[in-house]
Amino acid sequence: MSAAPPLRVHYAEVRGEGAREQMEAFLAALPALPGFVGAELLGSPGQPGLVLVASRWAGEVPALPLPAGARGWEFGVLDRR
């Protein structure tokens, strides 16, 4: 039995006017990419104007079509419950 590919997590954020619309379009494009497991669109009442997409990937995260002005970070999952 072969081991499953490692799970990776990617966070992308945009701030400011139109952030939600930009990130909704980004989120909509993710399921077509290889290794996509799932994702959420996140906002915080404590940080108005900040919108994040947290996505999970089986194996390597592919080149993502980040919106203009977006910042992104990739993490490997070290432990899971």
Side-chain angles (χ1 to χ4, degrees):
M1 183 173 170
S2 64
L7 188 64
R8 312 273 311 159
V9 176
H10 186 274
Y11 291 98
E13 75 169 39
V14 170
R15 294 177 181 270
E17 180 133 358
R20 181 171 181 158
E21 292 78 13
Q22 283 183 293
M23 294 309 269
E24 285 174 341
F26 173 67
L27 178 64
L30 297 180
L33 298 174
F36 178 77
V37 174
E40 295 81 31
L41 182 68
L42 306 172
S44 170
Q47 296 188 57
L50 172 64
V51 181
L52 294 132
V53 168
S55 58
R56 293 170 311 288
W57 302 87
E60 294 300 314
V61 176
L64 298 178
L66 290 177
R71 298 184 330 163
W73 300 269
E74 182 179 333
F75 299 88
V77 175
L78 302 177
D79 195 0
R80 189 173 173 183
R81 302 277 187 279

